[in-house]
Each structure stands twice: as structure tokens, then as C-alpha cells.
Amino acid sequence: MNHPFLDLAPLSASRFAAIEDRVARLLGTGQDVVIMQGEALLPLEGAIRGTAGPGTTALNVITGPYGQTFGDWLRDCGATVIDLAVPFHTAVTADQIRSAFAEHPEIDFVSLVHAEAATGNTNPVAEIGEIVRAHGALFYLDAVASIGAEPVLPDAWGVDLCVIGAQKAMGGPAGVSAVSVSERAWARMAANPRAPRRSYLSLLDWKQRWIDGGRKALLHAPAQLEMLALEACVERIEADGLDAVMARHRAAALSARAGAVALGGGLEPYVHDVADAAPVATTLRVPAGVVASEVVGRALAIDAALPLAAGGGALAKEMIRVNHYGVDATVGAVRGCVAALGAALAEAGLKVDVEGALRAVEDAWR
């Protein structure tokens, strides 16, 4: 019995390398790009463990749950960690980064999430990169959610370790990810006796056995289906044009925000300033006395395919996420979410204007 997902010809090293090159072009980078065979947590953790150690003083910016995770990894590596936490309804500012360096000039590593899909904010990486570069610190960036939804420019921004995943705005698979690595980051890893070696977490293994070997022989059998899916999603972005894909995500975010405001019922944007709002997902705050997870449950009972979710952990009580990324960065998906949320809030006894909200969605999309 033949099946399109099975019995495929082996993925060659040259094909693997060609996919890496396309991802590098998507990032506009001349740095080495390593595709890793796992979800983005693999390179995210591998990059920290490769470059941080007891001699590291890290500024860890927390604008959502992933920043908290990075701080845990850094401490586990033996680094001295200075957490800069800002409220999840806003973004970190360049002035806050500048002040942290002024107070702690010994900082030599900065970890930051670009767009937080979990909280709906996005951070000004270009401005922050200038400050980090001026102080000579290594710059680590989680761009998993932002790639495909807004510009991600590691070379222009001075990012030394830029991790991306395909499963959000790129509209691709979750089981494969990539990281661009600067020469400074490679040097930091090579000098770090605690950097993972002969390990699935090891970026140095890819450097020494894959890149330095001329990309002729893979470290292990590639995740073939995921690699082919990654290639397909990059092809789709190339065909549509990256600018068009990013514009579609921005339109979805503006439409979702406008629709929520017009809907009423006490629903309001969770991220206060539109300039701080991520184009990959729009987060909404429910009114007092209403439980967000219950509203989402009623909305999904209308249409289980809608890209709606409650916030994670304690945020499940107060936050709704409209995940308008990838194939759901469409006016139809936003309309469906707004209409279903309106019906769910009305069921809870709140006064809403669904027709007005849908008009606002259409007007904002244009």
C-alpha cells in the first residue's frame, strides 16, 4: 500500500542544506543557520546552554511566560541573572534596557522575546539591538512567533542568536525549527566548557560536524516529513511575498482589535497601546465577573475550528487570545472569532453589538 507520507526517498544532505539556505534568505542573514530537528524549545534551550555559564551576567527581559523560562535556564547554567519584568499588557522600552546597562555594566548577555503570542505584545528589537551592540553584550532573541508576521532582521539588529519556529505565522510544522548564529556566538560556545557537546541540545555539534564539514553529511537521520513541510511553507511565503504575508498579519491584528472594541460587552484589548500589540495574536481582557475560559468554551461550541484560546495558567480567568496567524491571518477567521465571542458574551447576559463589530472588522481590514 502506497501512502504520500510514507516510503519517500531519503532526504539528502544537499536538499537539507538548500532548505537551510532558503530559511537564511527569509531572515535576510549572512550568519550560519542551523535547522534543528525538534520544536523551537530545542534551539531556544540549546542556544542558552551553549553560550551561558558561571561567568555570564544576563539581562533577562520578561514580557510573558517564555522570558520566565529563559531565566530559569540561565540560572541553571550558573549565570547571574538580572530579570527585567514589565507588565504583560505592555512592551519593554529601549530606555529600560539602557537603564539596566547603566545599573549593571557587567551585563554580557541579553535574552528577549520578540513577539509574545501568549500575551499579545511585541518588543522594539531594533532599538534594543543598538543598545546591546553598543555595550558588546551577546543578544539572544526568540522570534518564533514573530517570523512571518513582522520583520525579523538578525543582521541589521545585531542579534547573535535568533531562534525561529515554523508553526505560527509561517504556517508550517511544529516539529522543526532553526537558529541563526553569529561568529561571536560560536566563539562564546567554543570557549564555554559547559556548552553541550555530543548532545541533541548541542549547536557545537552542528557547527563542527555539519557546517565545518561543508554540509556534506548530516549528524543523524533528518526529520524528513517536517523538513519537507518546512520547505513547502517557505515556498508559499516566497510565492506570496514576505511583505504581503506580514501585511496580512497586521491587518488581522488591527481588525481583531477594532472588532473587539466595537463589540462591547466589557471586552477590551489586553495590550493597551496598539504600537505594543503583536500582529501574530490579539489578546483581550474580559470584564469583571466573567471567566475568559468559559467565554472561549461557549464560542468554540459554535465553531470548534476558530483560532480562539484562553490565556495560559492564571490568565485563563481574564484573557482571551485570538490566534490570527498562519492560515488564520484572514478576515474570515477574525470575523468568525468576533461573531462567536459576541454570541458567547450575549449568552452570559452582556450587551453586545455583533453587527457593529463585524463592520469594524471589515473597515479595519481595508
Side-chain angles (χ1 to χ4, degrees):
M1 177 179 178
N2 293 325
H3 192 284
F5 294 155
L6 303 175
D7 305 321
L8 297 170
L11 192 73
S12 67
S14 61
R15 180 79 171 274
F16 193 105
I19 298 171
E20 277 187 341
D21 290 342
R22 294 177 87 161
V23 172
R25 287 196 295 272
L26 182 68
L27 288 168
T29 184
Q31 297 177 0
D32 291 325
V33 169
V34 177
I35 294 179
M36 300 193 75
Q37 306 291 278
E39 200 271 338
L41 282 172
L42 176 63
L44 285 169
E45 183 175 358
I48 281 180
R49 295 195 182 277
T51 52
T56 302
T57 300
L59 175 63
N60 180 52
V61 181
I62 302 175
T63 56
Y66 282 101
Q68 294 169 331
T69 298
F70 300 160
D72 291 340
W73 287 339
L74 286 161
R75 289 182 177 90
D76 190 53
C77 290
T80 299
V81 182
I82 300 156
D83 285 326
L84 172 55
V86 303
F88 290 176
H89 64 259
T90 187
V92 72
T93 67
D95 283 342
Q96 288 173 305
I97 301 294
R98 192 176 289 108
S99 295
F101 272 106
E103 187 174 352
H104 300 279
E106 71 274 18
I107 291 169
D108 62 356
F109 185 101
V110 175
S111 53
L112 176 71
V113 178
H114 188 185
E116 288 268 13
T119 49
N121 52 35
T122 192
N123 292 301
V125 182
E127 297 173 43
I128 292 169
E130 289 184 12
I131 299 166
V132 175
R133 186 166 50 239
H135 285 83
L138 206 71
F139 193 8
Y140 163 100
L141 183 70
D142 171 353
V144 173
S146 54
I147 183 65
E150 54 187 307
V152 176
L153 302 168
D155 292 11
W157 297 342
V159 178
D160 296 287
L161 295 155
C162 183
V163 177
I164 66 169
Q167 71 268 31
K168 287 189 167 66
M170 288 179 68
V176 66
S177 48
V179 53
S180 65
V181 186
S182 73
E183 288 300 324
R184 293 198 322 144
W186 284 132
R188 180 81 70 99
M189 284 183 231
N192 181 8
R194 294 195 177 195
R197 292 166 169 85
R198 296 171 296 282
S199 163
Y200 208 60
L201 282 171
S202 177
L203 286 168
L204 278 176
D205 286 356
W206 284 96
K207 166 69 169 167
Q208 294 166 358
R209 297 171 55 191
W210 170 246
I211 296 173
D212 292 349
R215 299 194 298 178
K216 301 295 184 183
L218 289 161
L219 275 63
H220 44 67
Q224 180 149 314
L225 293 178
E226 287 78 7
M227 287 297 295
L228 294 175
L230 174 62
E231 182 181 49
C233 84
V234 174
E235 284 179 350
R236 185 165 60 185
I237 291 171
E238 290 171 347
D240 291 345
L242 180 58
D243 287 345
V245 175
M246 292 190 295
R248 192 161 63 239
H249 282 84
R250 174 53 60 186
L254 293 174
S255 296
R257 190 179 185 92
V261 170
L263 185 62
L267 201 65
E268 59 184 25
Y270 193 89
V271 177
H272 294 178
D273 190 336
V274 67
D276 296 336
V280 71
T282 296
T283 48
L284 306 169
R285 188 186 299 275
V286 296
V290 175
V291 178
S293 59
E294 294 176 359
V295 174
V296 170
R298 286 193 291 267
L300 291 177
I302 297 169
D303 184 352
L306 291 172
L308 286 170
L315 294 175
K317 293 183 178 180
E318 64 184 41
M319 179 191 287
I320 294 171
R321 287 168 44 196
V322 183
N323 295 317
H324 42 65
Y325 52 71
V327 296
D328 290 315
T330 66
V331 67
V334 175
R335 281 179 54 89
C337 289
V338 169
L341 289 174
L345 290 170
E347 186 179 333
L350 297 168
K351 185 178 180 181
V352 295
D353 179 6
V354 175
E355 290 186 4
L358 294 179
R359 286 195 300 272
V361 168
E362 296 287 349
D363 290 344
W365 188 273
R366 290 195 288 270

